[in-house]
């Protein structure tokens, strides 16, 4: 069984797109088991830093589990289509291309 998310794009570009998509999930910080009050006390740069760390963790976790719940969102690795799909909520999805 192969592990990891296969990609041909630069990892930094994928990470940037994935971070941006995860930021769109309003309660994505719940993935860290963080309280809402603690999240709200963070400055924007700190929030972005945490979400980038989350994107990095999610990217590697998708290699083991192709579907992850991040707050109210769902992140799905679709290897046949070479994408990661981020379902932000019931109405919005973001597509991160891997090639």
């Amino acid at each position: 069984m192969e592990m990891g998310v296969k990609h041909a794009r630069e990892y930094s570009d994928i990470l940037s797109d994935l971070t941006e998509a995860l930021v769109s999930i309003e309660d994505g910080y719940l993935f860290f088991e963080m309280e809402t009050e603690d999240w709200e006390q963070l400055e924007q740069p700190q929030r972005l830093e945490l979400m980038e760390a989350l994107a990095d963790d999610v990217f590697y976790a998708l290699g083991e589990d192709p579907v992850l719940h991040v707050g109210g969102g769902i992140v799905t690795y679709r290897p046949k289509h070479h994408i990661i799909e981020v379902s932000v909520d019931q109405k919005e999805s973001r597509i991160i291309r891997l090639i």
Side-chain angles (χ1 to χ4, degrees):
M1 180 177 191
E2 293 231 6
M3 292 294 179
V5 173
K6 290 187 176 190
H7 59 94
R9 278 180 72 204
E10 285 291 325
Y11 178 70
S12 60
D13 294 338
I14 294 169
L15 186 65
S16 176
D17 290 350
L18 186 53
T19 299
E20 188 178 313
L22 292 175
V23 165
S24 299
I25 299 172
E26 281 187 32
D27 59 356
Y29 59 86
L30 294 175
F31 191 82
F32 295 114
E33 299 178 3
M34 182 180 276
E35 297 294 326
T36 304
E37 300 83 43
D38 295 334
W39 176 254
E40 289 173 350
Q41 289 176 0
L42 295 176
E43 297 291 327
Q44 193 59 30
Q46 294 170 306
R47 290 182 184 187
L48 200 54
E49 197 174 298
L50 269 176
M51 295 313 276
E52 186 173 288
L54 174 61
D56 189 53
D57 290 349
V58 162
F59 183 84
Y60 286 101
L62 287 169
E64 303 232 353
D65 185 352
V67 179
L68 297 172
H69 292 267
V70 177
I74 300 171
V75 183
T76 308
Y77 171 43
R78 302 195 186 282
K80 288 181 182 173
H81 297 95
H82 309 287
I83 63 168
I84 294 171
E85 181 180 354
V86 179
S87 296
V88 174
D89 54 30
Q90 299 294 337
K91 299 174 187 156
E92 179 184 353
S93 288
R94 305 277 182 98
I95 302 297
I96 290 85
R97 303 203 180 282
L98 300 172
I99 57 173

